[in-house]
Amino acid sequence: MKRNIVIAVVTAAALVGGGTATALAVAGDDDDSTSVTRTDDDRDDRGEDRSDDRDGDDDGAVRAAAPGDVTAAEAITAALKHTPGTAVSAELDDGSWEVDVLAEGDTWHTVRIAPDSGKVLGAQKDDEDDAAEVRAALKGASVTAEDAAKAAAAKGTVVSVDLDDDGGDKGWEAETRASGGDARDWNVDPKTASVTPDRDDD
C-alpha cells in the first residue's frame, strides 16, 4: 500500500505591483492538484477600502444624527448630570456630542457623549476665560441650551446649539440638518424660545 505523500512547494514568488504573490501546490496519489494563490496587494487594498469607508465622505464633516440617535437636548441632559453647571454649547462632531459646560467657580468643562447610547465617553477641564461674558449674555434668560435644542428640533435634526454672546442679538444659535442633508441655521430667543431663520444663513 502506498503512503500518501503531500508536498507543499513554493512554485513562484514574484513581486507584483509592490506585493508578493505566493503559490502553493498540493499533490496526492491521484495526481490531482490544487493551487492557492494569495496576493498581498489584494489584502492591503481590501483593508484600505474598509478604512476609507469608516472615515466617512469628508474629513471634518459633521455626522448627521440618524433616527433613534441621542438628540442634542438628551446629550446636554447627560452632560449636566455628569458635570453640573450651565450648558453653553453642544455639537455633534467627530462621532460624538461635545457639550461645553460652565461649572461653579467659572470652570469650563467639555463633556463627550456617545450619540448612540447617551453614555459619557469622557470629560476634560478647559482653559476658557470668557465666563463673565457668558453669564452676562444669560442674565435674564429663561431658555436653556436644552430648551433651545428642543425648540430648534421642530425645524430638523439639531446637530449643534451654541450661545451667541457677541453683539446686540444675544441668544441661542442652532444648526439643523434635513433628511436630505441640507443645513440650516436658526436663532432661538433666550426668553421665548421662538425660532427664526438666521439672517446670515444663505
Side-chain angles (χ1 to χ4, degrees), residues 74-88:
E74 291 168 343
I76 292 169
T77 299
L80 292 177
K81 185 176 180 181
H82 180 273
T83 305
T86 301
V88 177

Side-chain angles (χ1 to χ4, degrees), residues 6 9 15 43 77 80 90 93 104 108 122 147-148 170 194:
V6 179
V9 180
L15 190 63
R43 186 182 65 248
T77 299
L80 292 177
D93 193 20
E104 294 295 330
W108 286 96
D147 296 332
K170 293 180 172 61
S194 62

Side-chain angles (χ1 to χ4, degrees), residues 75-76 79-80 83 85-91 97-103 107-113 124-126 128 130 134 145 161-163 172:
I76 292 169
L80 292 177
T83 305
T86 301
V88 177
S89 69
E91 181 179 11
W97 283 105
E98 291 186 359
V99 182
D100 290 332
V101 177
L102 178 57
T107 304
W108 286 96
H109 299 269
T110 297
V111 184
R112 293 188 304 110
I113 304 296
Q124 67 181 33
K125 188 176 178 181
D126 292 330
E128 300 289 343
D130 57 349
V134 167
V161 60
D162 186 41
L163 178 66
W172 297 103

